[in-house]
Amino acid sequence: LTTDQTYVMNINSNSILIDQIGNYDHVTIVQNTKYNSIGGYTQTAMPIRGGNNTITMRQGDPNNSSSTHNMMQVDIFGGGGNTLNLTQTSTAGQQMLINITSSDNNTVNVSQTSAAMSSFTLSQTGTGSTTFNVAQSGTYSNVANIRAVAAGGSFNIIQRSH
């Protein structure tokens, strides 16, 4: 993690902790309330080790006006061909921290919708090609921080205020 990634929201309820190891796994997580957190059992972030996995995570409820304070932390190590579909919807305060190390040909789809304060931080190192599709919408204070070192791929970022 870089110094830009050191701030992590204090989530005190609705935590899911997973360490995923293996290939061709399909994982779906849905959290529809407030103060949601997805991370790893033995570390802060949810590690994904292996290839050709499909991970779908959704936090928040667009019909719940008190759906706030969502946090996702994911680390991808090795393998390749993973697809992440990550969605956060809330009235305020959501954060995603994604770290990809030595993993090729992944697709990361991110959607954050909030009235305020959406934050997405990505750190990628390695030689593989990864496609990132990031969409943030809200009234103000949306931040996308991307750091890619020695990695190919494409970045599609849409930020809009409404």
Side-chain angles (χ1 to χ4, degrees):
L1 293 177
T2 67
T3 55
D4 295 329
Q5 295 171 291
T6 56
Y7 171 74
V8 176
M9 286 188 289
N10 184 16
I11 303 293
N12 54 12
S13 62
N14 300 323
S15 294
I16 296 176
L17 307 174
I18 295 176
D19 283 5
Q20 184 281 328
I21 300 173
N23 299 317
Y24 299 98
D25 294 321
H26 294 271
V27 177
T28 300
I29 300 169
V30 177
Q31 294 177 310
N32 283 333
T33 57
K34 59 183 177 177
Y35 300 105
N36 299 307
S37 173
I38 298 172
Y41 182 71
T42 59
Q43 57 193 37
T44 305
M46 173 186 164
I48 299 172
R49 296 177 185 94
N52 301 299
N53 299 296
T54 301
I55 312 293
T56 302
M57 297 188 280
R58 187 180 82 213
Q59 291 179 321
D61 183 352
N63 299 316
N64 181 351
S65 62
S66 66
S67 177
T68 63
H69 300 91
N70 297 311
M71 165 62 81
M72 286 183 196
Q73 298 179 81
V74 179
D75 287 344
I76 300 175
F77 302 101
N82 297 298
T83 301
L84 275 65
N85 301 303
L86 311 174
T87 303
Q88 290 178 319
T89 304
S90 73
T91 54
Q94 54 196 14
Q95 187 175 28
M96 282 187 204
L97 303 173
I98 311 297
N99 183 42
I100 300 174
T101 304
S102 300
S103 186
D104 302 344
N105 303 313
N106 299 293
T107 301
V108 179
N109 301 306
V110 171
S111 174
Q112 290 180 313
T113 304
S114 177
M117 298 179 292
S118 292
S119 173
F120 170 74
T121 300
L122 166 74
S123 177
Q124 179 188 7
T125 58
T127 58
S129 174
T130 296
T131 299
F132 300 94
N133 300 304
V134 179
Q136 292 179 316
S137 64
T139 307
Y140 67 93
S141 295
N142 293 319
V143 175
N145 181 1
I146 297 173
R147 178 180 168 261
V149 178
S154 64
F155 299 88
N156 305 303
I157 301 170
I158 299 171
Q159 287 183 313
R160 62 179 155 254
S161 295
H162 54 87

